[in-house]
């Protein structure tokens, strides 16, 4: 697995843990039955057609190496964490690691490749949000996005320092 040496190791570890969650029988391979049982565990009954479609074009057996390559191929277009942090810093004039959540939503729904408001809010569902001490225009404590944490969760798998 030489391809792993240039990747963000904590994220690779997360992928290895995810693999184990799918490999329900512990044989080192994610089978169609493993995937079907994973969905059933989540309360979702997938048809044989759906399960087959998920495996369409996937190298078999779907062991850890193949799983990692598959995920990394799908995530190939994601920017590394340092690039994401650099982009978020545009909103952080004080360089404190937090940005105004409402302004961020307004900007990404207004400029560039626009998100809908629903898409923007969905994207931030798992982000760390804090309140205060500043007040917003309505006199409420301002909600702030911890963009360092957010960048880590949405970035690609490349290492951010190539030393």
């Amino acid at each position: 697995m030489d391809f792993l040496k240039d990747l963000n190791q904590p994220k690779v570890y997360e992928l290895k843990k995810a693999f184990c969650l799918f490999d329900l029988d512990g044989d080192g391979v994610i089978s169609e039955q493993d995937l079907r049982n994973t969905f059933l565990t989540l309360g979702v009954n997938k048809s044989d057609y759906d399960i087959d479609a998920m495996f369409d074009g996937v190298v078999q057996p779907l062991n850890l190496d193949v799983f990692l390559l598959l995920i990394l191929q799908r995530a190939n277009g994601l920017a590394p964490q340092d690039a994401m942090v650099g982009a978020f810093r545009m909103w952080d004039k004080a360089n404190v690691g937090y940005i105004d959540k409402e302004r961020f939503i307004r900007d990404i729904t207004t400029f560039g490749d626009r998100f809908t408001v629903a898409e923007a809010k969905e994207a931030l569902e798992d982000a760390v949000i804090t309140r205060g001490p500043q007040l917003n225009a309505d006199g409420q404590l301002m909600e702030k996005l911890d963009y360092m944490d957010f960048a880590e969760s949405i970035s690609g798998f490349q290492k951010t320092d190539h030393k």
Side-chain angles (χ1 to χ4, degrees):
M1 291 199 293
D2 285 341
F3 67 92
L4 296 178
K5 68 180 178 351
D6 291 327
L7 301 175
N8 178 320
Q9 291 307 304
K11 288 204 174 202
V12 171
Y13 177 71
E14 288 177 28
L15 290 175
K16 288 178 180 179
K17 289 192 327 188
F19 177 85
C20 292
L21 293 175
F22 284 100
D23 180 20
L24 294 178
D25 61 10
D27 66 353
V29 173
I30 299 174
S31 66
E32 292 179 357
Q33 190 61 45
D34 285 330
L35 189 57
R36 182 175 291 103
N37 289 339
T38 299
F39 276 110
L40 288 173
T41 301
L42 298 171
V44 178
N45 190 10
K46 289 285 187 184
S47 69
D48 288 342
Y49 176 82
D50 290 337
I51 298 294
D52 289 342
M54 289 179 200
F55 277 89
D56 189 35
V58 175
V59 175
Q60 297 292 327
L62 182 51
N63 60 25
L64 179 60
D65 289 352
V66 173
F67 178 78
L68 291 173
L69 282 170
L70 181 68
I71 297 296
L72 294 173
Q73 286 172 345
R74 301 276 195 262
N76 192 27
L78 297 176
Q81 185 176 347
D82 56 351
M84 298 299 295
V85 168
F88 284 121
R89 281 207 172 109
M90 179 187 98
W91 286 279
D92 185 14
K93 302 300 182 203
N95 199 27
V96 294
Y98 294 92
I99 56 179
D100 177 350
K101 176 185 162 195
E102 292 307 314
R103 178 173 177 218
F104 178 70
I105 289 174
R106 184 184 69 239
D107 287 354
I108 66 172
T109 58
T110 305
F111 304 109
D113 292 332
R114 297 181 190 132
F115 281 59
T116 66
V117 172
E119 289 170 335
K121 289 183 177 183
E122 180 182 347
L124 296 176
E125 278 181 359
D126 295 325
V128 174
I129 305 293
T130 61
R131 294 183 185 270
Q134 300 91 351
L135 300 178
N136 64 19
D138 298 327
Q140 303 294 318
L141 290 176
M142 182 184 299
E143 291 185 312
K144 297 180 291 186
L145 168 66
D146 178 342
Y147 69 85
M148 303 291 270
D149 181 76
F150 188 57
E152 181 180 346
S153 68
I154 65 171
S155 62
F157 296 94
Q158 305 93 338
K159 284 184 183 176
T160 57
D161 62 330
H162 297 285
K163 296 176 184 172

